Amino acid sequence: MLLKFFRFAKGYVTFTASGKFPERFLNAAAVNKLNLWDAYPSKGKITATMAAADYKRARHIAQRAGLKLKITSKRGVPFFVKRHSSRLGLPIGALLGAVLLVVLSQFIWTVDITGAKTVSDNRIREALADNGVYPGAFKWTIDVLDSQRAVQMDIDELSWVSINNLGCKSTADVREKAKKSDEPKSQSPCNIKADCDGVITKIIAENGFSAVEEGSGVKQGDLLVSGVLPTGQDTIRFVRAEAEVYADVNSKFELKMPKEYDYYYVNENKTNRNKLNFLWLSIPASLNFTAYPQSVSSQNRVNLSVNGNALPLGITTQTSYELRNISVKENSEKAQQAFEKTLLLYEVFENPSASVKSREITLTEDETSFNFTCDYTLNRNIAQSVEFDVTEH
């Protein structure tokens, strides 16, 4: 196979030798060290093949032997170039295409990420790019082991990173750390104490001795359920008290709202700007230069692909949306409606397990703002576990 390639690169001709005793040409070629192949006789002729560079010398040898040579076919690169010499751009283009293909094959075209569940792909891509793995990176400058370690250190949620460069594609396979299981509950003895002031409404004691009754008032830090139990034999036993103690407690929420403020919103005006991406290059491909004083933008990148393989050529579209601002003046009625919505969020996220017994809203105002205060009565679990040393008893 390699021999055929070299013969084609140098060029070769197939010819016939005719005349009296054409076999004499074979002897003369051997004496003059001419390389022939695929020689065979046919009706007083001999057909053979030789390198194009040897044919001119072979003609002189044939003439001395009284024979006549005739070329039947020419093949190889020199003849191809000569036939297409009027189309010089064709061989030059083919050569440049081959060189371009070899050069581009030394770079990373695309980066794929697999195995990520909770960590976003964009975050992993940023970490990879910071450590040398990105579209347009020269493959032979990437230290895979160092990049793997660096990405794992940059993102605490990852327990394992594997980077594989195959062809012009780099694949980062990641594994996330397993969530830590809940720590086992301590078995040390403890009391249940109140975490705030309140009036007891309900006691559910699973373990321990109740030190208060329903309807009694308690202060923060008072003992609710004791972990010290008498045994009936003039001794005591220490246990870990477990209980839920519900009480009505007072709570206050305050909020200050300005009477006048600026509000920004996105209107219907937008501008699209395109960029042509080739490896690490980004070339503007839009003549739209509209700019807004205030704006927000988003980007969308699409790469060309062939047979499912992404190419290092794509288009990034950046869309800018105009922001408009208006001055809003609030009156007391609208301000109170907004405050009530804020209260709902406060109750859901700050006191999710408490039930609201009552709420009283108070409004005061000054020159620049409305001041709201909401006095709550909440019913919630005020039990707090407090461990103790048995030597204390």
Side-chain angles (χ1 to χ4, degrees):
M1 186 67 181
L2 188 61
L3 180 60
K4 289 182 179 180
F5 173 79
F6 283 114
R7 286 175 176 175
F8 186 82
K10 293 180 178 181
Y12 60 89
V13 296
T14 300
F15 62 93
T16 59
S18 59
K20 293 182 179 180
F21 309 108
E23 61 274 7
R24 293 170 58 188
F25 178 74
L26 298 179
N27 296 330
V31 171
N32 290 274
K33 298 181 180 181
L34 292 178
N35 185 22
L36 299 177
W37 65 88
D38 295 339
Y40 59 91
S42 60
K43 296 181 180 181
K45 300 178 181 179
I46 290 180
T47 301
T49 304
M50 69 167 49
D54 294 337
Y55 182 74
K56 186 175 182 180
R57 193 156 57 98
R59 290 180 62 184
H60 294 295
I61 296 173
Q63 289 176 357
R64 290 198 300 270
L67 301 174
K68 183 178 180 180
L69 300 184
K70 182 179 179 181
I71 296 176
T72 58
S73 66
K74 303 175 182 180
R75 294 184 181 180
V77 173
F79 301 111
F80 177 82
V81 173
K82 186 176 181 180
R83 281 198 305 271
H84 297 281
S85 59
S86 60
R87 300 176 181 177
L88 191 59
L90 184 62
I92 294 177
L95 179 61
L96 291 178
V99 172
L100 184 62
L101 184 62
V102 172
V103 172
L104 291 181
S105 65
Q106 307 305 310
F107 295 88
I108 296 296
W109 290 7
T110 58
V111 178
D112 288 347
I113 298 171
T114 61
K117 296 180 180 178
T118 59
V119 181
S120 69
D121 285 358
N122 286 338
R123 186 179 173 191
I124 298 175
R125 289 184 192 279
E126 289 178 0
L128 289 170
D130 291 341
N131 293 283
V133 183
Y134 55 89
F138 188 56
K139 289 194 300 185
W140 310 114
T141 62
I142 298 176
D143 190 322
V144 173
L145 294 179
D146 284 349
S147 297
Q148 291 175 171
R149 287 192 292 266
V151 172
Q152 187 173 341
M153 292 178 65
D154 290 345
I155 304 178
D156 293 335
E157 294 89 335
L158 300 182
S159 62
W160 181 71
V161 178
S162 175
I163 299 174
N164 299 295
N165 296 329
L166 182 61
C168 295
K169 181 179 180 180
S170 180
T171 301
D173 189 16
V174 302
R175 295 292 181 272
E176 298 177 1
K177 292 180 181 178
K179 293 183 178 180
K180 294 182 179 180
S181 58
D182 295 336
E183 295 183 359
K185 293 183 178 180
S186 173
Q187 298 301 316
S188 301
C190 74
N191 294 321
I192 301 295
K193 295 186 177 181
D195 64 3
C196 66
D197 300 347
V199 178
I200 305 299
T201 60
K202 187 178 182 181
I203 303 173
I204 305 175
E206 297 182 3
N207 199 16
F209 174 75
S210 179
V212 294
E213 297 180 354
E214 295 182 5
S216 60
V218 295
K219 293 183 178 181
Q220 182 178 3
D222 284 353
L223 180 65
L224 302 179
V225 179
S226 175
V228 182
L229 298 179
T231 62
Q233 299 177 353
D234 295 331
T235 60
I236 57 175
R237 181 165 60 94
F238 301 106
V239 299
R240 184 173 185 81
E242 296 182 5
E244 294 181 3
V245 182
Y246 292 88
D248 290 339
V249 300
N250 295 324
S251 177
K252 180 179 291 187
F253 178 73
E254 297 178 337
L255 181 65
K256 186 174 184 179
M257 301 180 64
K259 289 184 176 181
E260 185 175 352
Y261 57 90
D262 289 336
Y263 172 71
Y264 288 86
Y265 68 96
V266 178
N267 70 0
E268 67 279 2
N269 295 333
K270 65 179 181 179
T271 300
N272 291 326
R273 296 185 180 89
N274 297 321
K275 292 182 179 180
L276 182 65
N277 303 309
F278 181 70
L279 291 177
W280 64 90
L281 299 177
S282 182
I283 305 170
S286 176
L287 297 178
N288 195 334
F289 300 104
T290 303
Y292 304 117
Q294 299 286 342
S295 65
V296 292
S297 62
S298 63
Q299 284 190 351
N300 181 40
R301 177 167 178 167
V302 178
N303 273 47
L304 298 180
S305 61
V306 177
N307 296 328
N309 298 316
L311 300 179
L313 183 65
I315 295 177
T316 297
T317 301
Q318 180 178 351
T319 304
S320 298
Y321 301 89
E322 183 182 16
L323 286 179
R324 292 281 180 87
N325 71 306
I326 58 175
S327 294
V328 179
K329 293 183 178 180
E330 295 283 8
N331 55 37
S332 59
E333 182 180 352
K334 290 184 178 179
Q336 182 156 345
Q337 292 175 356
F339 179 68
E340 289 175 354
K341 293 178 181 179
T342 304
L343 287 181
L344 292 176
L345 297 176
Y346 169 76
E347 293 167 8
V348 170
F349 292 102
E350 298 296 328
N351 295 285
S353 60
S355 59
V356 179
K357 301 292 288 289
S358 67
R359 67 169 70 88
E360 183 178 349
I361 299 175
T362 304
L363 168 62
T364 61
E365 59 180 287
D366 52 34
E367 294 181 356
T368 60
S369 62
F370 296 105
N371 304 304
F372 289 94
T373 301
C374 182
D375 293 305
Y376 277 105
T377 299
L378 302 174
N379 185 263
R380 66 176 184 84
N381 182 15
I382 63 170
Q384 182 182 29
S385 297
V386 180
E387 295 183 357
F388 60 83
D389 189 346
V390 296
T391 59
E392 299 175 2
H393 297 267

